[in-house]
Amino acid sequence: MLTFTIRRLVLAVPTLLFISLVIFLLLELAPGDPMAQVPLTVPAEVKEKMRLALGLGEPMHIRFWKWLVQFFWIEPQVLIDNIFGTGLADGKLRVISWQTRSPVMDIVVQRIPQTLWVVGTAYVVAILIALPIGIYSAYRQYSWFDQMGTFVSMVGFSVPPFFSGVLVIVIFSVQLGWFPSIYDTTHVVDSWDAFVYQLKQMIMPVMVLALQITAQLSRFMRASMLDNLNQDYVRTARAKGLSEYVVVMVHVLRNSMIPVVTVIALGIPSIFGGAIITEQVFKVNGIGQLLIGAIQANDLPMVQTLTFIFAVLIVLFNLIADVLYGILDPRIRYD
Amino acid sequence: MTELSNPVPSRPPRSQWLDVWDQFKSHRGALMGGALFLFIILAVYLGPFFWDIEATQINIRHRNQSPSWAHPFGTDQLGRDMLARMMAGGATSVSVGLTAMLLALFLGSFIGVIAGFFKKLDGPLMRLTDLFLALPLLPLLLVMMLLFREPLNAAFGPEQGIFILIVVSIGVTSWMPTARIVRGDVLALKEREFVMAARSIGTTNKGLITRHILPNVLSPIMVSATLGIATAIITESSLSFLGLGFPPDFPTWGRLLFDATDYLQQHPERVFWPGMAISLTVLSVNYLGDGLRDALDPRIRGR
């Protein structure tokens, strides 16, 4: 198991390098000019100097190498500096955003809590809803509850977040006036009223995200429970005289959770991707919104870093899912 | 010698596709989904022949109207008829969905069959698939929209250019699940006796693949085709919704929804039409895929 994990970790390095190269080359082809917003009165040679100051003058492979060094060598040093108060990265050049002229990672660190707070809550809520639905609809297969569950999860699959989001805004914010339609990220929770307001503004984005995730997870849970409910060991457990609750909730559930846990792990990075749209609808200024803004402003270092962070998340959680699968299911040991 | 009591089969032989159809019919959701999808396609492509208001015709005097008999879906802020715009938008959205699905399907089946059939290519091709699966797709799609919009617009004109761009980028980023499923099936098929028999009478690799392997992996390909339409339509709408898809004078359902969000408070029904159209199309296609999966699986059929 350990060798498997190490081997996968080692394999992840070239994968990530390749992905970063692909992203870099894609961005290299960009026809957009970062100098486009500079006024026309600025003379050409000054523009050229500004271009050089952004690091655009050097050949492609050198810039790629510089980005790699900055991302993998200098940024971790900055992290260590911030945690332990050391001075490893003093005076070293970091990945700088063209929009704000400040380090990209600083902005990302500012934006991450908003995304994590909304998306994380949605994920937890979705898991809490999806698992009981999946278990019960498998236990009572083809009952009206199961049929309802199937229909609701089909709807959850089919309604895109930009529609469900706008729909809940129309219903709960425009018509009923219960919740604010815009997520206020500057809101500070310091009293009970502030906490209630925070809850209110979180309900809609969380609901929209959770609907999607619930739809997928409950289907997986149901299918996995159905696979196990007809197994011999379930009959044995019943024949031993165990109560129905123990049979389903202990014996069957534990075995059915194995694939579901890996699906949950695999879904985490895609949630960051899906959250781009939800963040846009509710004006949450998280990572997804940052990416859209950077794409529209032609801020290549920011786009490159953010896309790469998404890729790292995907590779990382794929790895975690594989390792979890091996740990949870002793029949699957990769070595 | 006892005579066979019934020398001829009493019932005529049934073709495979008749069985499939029988099983498909028994899945009520799939039947309704299929009918709805057919209706949407007909409405979107043939509708403009019966509804003769142009989607681009501006009529400022009749702007921001609520639904009426003259304009069943109302009009937008420039007085353009929403029903005509919905049909024009639907034609684009559905065309993008179908074309992108075909491209993804072709790529996916090709890579899947090649990887499953030729052992040497299996490793590299599957690593490639894993790599593509590890790419963050929506951000990459957005980046691709940003980068290639201008050159393609210059080469093919604004409408054709963006259509090609969206179809190609969705197709190139969504073939991986099909490739994986097809590869798995081909790997299993390759070891079966009929393939060995065909090989032993000297069938070439090309003949083996086209005559014996492809027809047998048709059912997973068809199922992933239906699901592919759904994801392609949703992806295109998301891009349009984020303002990085089709230009504003060239409506698609996602673009109509995006434009309508500005008038959310005064005219919520304008958000409702395109959103409902996207959701219903995707829902019907998903049910269709669900039914097809059951109908094409011989283990489920006949139960």
Side-chain angles (χ1 to χ4, degrees), chain B residues 114-157:
Chain B
I114 298 289
F117 197 80
F118 300 106
K119 209 167 192 173
K120 265 188 195 150
L121 293 172
D122 190 19
L125 281 178
M126 281 300 112
R127 290 292 81 71
L128 181 77
T129 316
D130 288 348
L131 264 181
F132 264 84
L133 279 171
L135 289 173
L137 292 182
L138 192 61
L140 264 195
L141 275 173
L142 294 174
V143 172
M144 277 155 91
M145 289 299 128
L146 178 80
L147 301 187
F148 300 111
R149 176 191 296 261
E150 303 292 320
L152 277 170
N153 279 358
F156 297 100

Side-chain angles (χ1 to χ4, degrees), chain A residues 18 26 30-31 158 162-163 166 307, chain B residues 131 136 147 237 264 271 275 279 283:
Chain A
F18 183 80
L26 248 178
S158 312
F162 50 85
F163 181 46
V166 172
T307 335
Chain B
L131 264 181
L147 301 187
S237 317
L264 197 58
V271 172
S279 309
L283 188 68

Side-chain angles (χ1 to χ4, degrees), chain A:
Chain A
M1 205 55 218
L2 190 67
T3 46
F4 169 77
T5 315
I6 293 171
R7 202 172 63 218
R8 282 295 306 265
L9 267 176
V10 171
L11 254 178
V13 174
T15 313
L16 284 175
L17 279 180
F18 183 80
I19 291 175
S20 66
L21 181 68
V22 168
I23 299 171
F24 181 81
L25 288 179
L26 248 178
L27 292 175
E28 263 322 293
L29 296 169
D33 183 4
M35 296 281 101
Q37 269 128 28
V38 176
L40 288 171
T41 45
V42 175
E45 54 266 34
V46 179
K47 261 191 189 177
E48 198 51 44
K49 272 188 187 155
M50 289 166 83
R51 195 183 293 276
L52 287 181
L54 286 178
L56 274 174
E58 278 150 299
M60 216 193 278
H61 57 275
I62 291 182
R63 271 183 294 140
F64 181 57
W65 177 248
K66 269 189 163 172
W67 181 84
L68 279 183
V69 169
Q70 282 169 348
F71 190 86
F72 285 105
W73 187 241
I74 298 179
E75 293 297 342
Q77 288 179 350
V78 173
L79 186 69
I80 294 171
D81 286 356
N82 281 338
I83 295 173
F84 300 108
T86 49
L88 288 174
D90 284 348
K92 289 180 182 162
L93 204 58
R94 302 175 60 186
V95 187
I96 302 287
S97 155
W98 289 349
Q99 265 173 304
T100 58
R101 304 286 194 275
S102 60
V104 168
M105 284 314 265
D106 288 1
I107 307 173
V108 171
V109 169
Q110 284 168 12
R111 296 296 189 95
I112 271 189
Q114 280 88 292
T115 298
L116 277 188
W117 197 227
V118 175
V119 178
T121 320
Y123 215 58
V124 173
V125 168
I127 293 171
L128 289 182
I129 298 175
L131 296 192
I133 290 182
I135 295 170
Y136 194 72
S137 26
Y139 188 65
R140 295 243 179 276
Q141 198 189 2
Y142 301 130
S143 65
W144 68 267
F145 184 87
D146 184 26
Q147 307 276 6
M148 274 294 291
T150 310
F151 182 72
V152 169
S153 62
M154 274 291 193
V155 170
F157 270 134
S158 312
V159 179
F162 50 85
F163 181 46
S164 51
V166 172
L167 208 61
V168 292
I169 288 182
V170 170
I171 295 173
F172 293 110
S173 169
V174 177
Q175 303 287 340
L176 297 172
W178 288 356
F179 310 122
S181 72
I182 290 177
Y183 187 92
D184 177 11
T185 36
T186 57
H187 183 72
V188 183
V189 180
D190 51 4
S191 63
W192 176 249
D193 286 343
F195 177 71
V196 170
Y197 184 80
Q198 173 70 16
L199 268 188
K200 272 187 173 178
Q201 68 173 359
M202 273 181 70
I203 283 181
M204 287 202 298
V206 166
M207 213 157 65
V208 166
L209 273 172
L211 173 70
Q212 265 192 318
I213 310 163
T214 309
Q216 288 179 18
L217 275 185
S218 66
R219 296 317 287 164
F220 271 112
M221 191 69 223
R222 175 177 178 273
S224 168
M225 283 290 283
L226 281 179
D227 277 350
N228 276 296
L229 272 172
N230 292 325
Q231 298 273 330
D232 290 341
Y233 74 84
V234 180
R235 198 183 323 134
T236 313
R238 288 207 177 106
K240 278 199 305 192
L242 293 181
S243 70
E244 198 61 20
Y245 179 84
V246 173
V247 170
V248 176
M249 297 307 281
V250 177
H251 286 70
V252 179
L253 182 61
R254 274 197 194 165
N255 282 292
S256 325
M257 280 305 284
I258 296 167
V260 176
V261 166
T262 61
V263 167
I264 290 176
L266 279 179
I268 293 174
S270 69
I271 288 312
F272 283 90
I276 292 177
I277 292 165
T278 317
E279 284 183 4
Q280 197 73 7
V281 171
F282 292 100
K283 313 275 187 291
V284 184
N285 63 342
I287 293 221
Q289 224 240 343
L290 185 65
L291 178 73
I292 301 277
I295 286 179
Q296 275 159 355
N298 235 323
D299 183 358
L300 297 190
M302 178 78 89
V303 176
Q304 159 118 23
T305 311
L306 277 178
T307 335
F308 189 65
I309 290 177
F310 285 133
V312 171
L313 283 174
I314 295 177
V315 171
L316 185 71
F317 279 99
N318 265 321
L319 181 72
I320 291 177
D322 279 359
V323 172
L324 265 183
Y325 211 68
I327 292 175
L328 291 177
D329 192 343
R331 286 168 299 185
I332 303 166
R333 288 280 147 88
Y334 299 96
D335 21 53

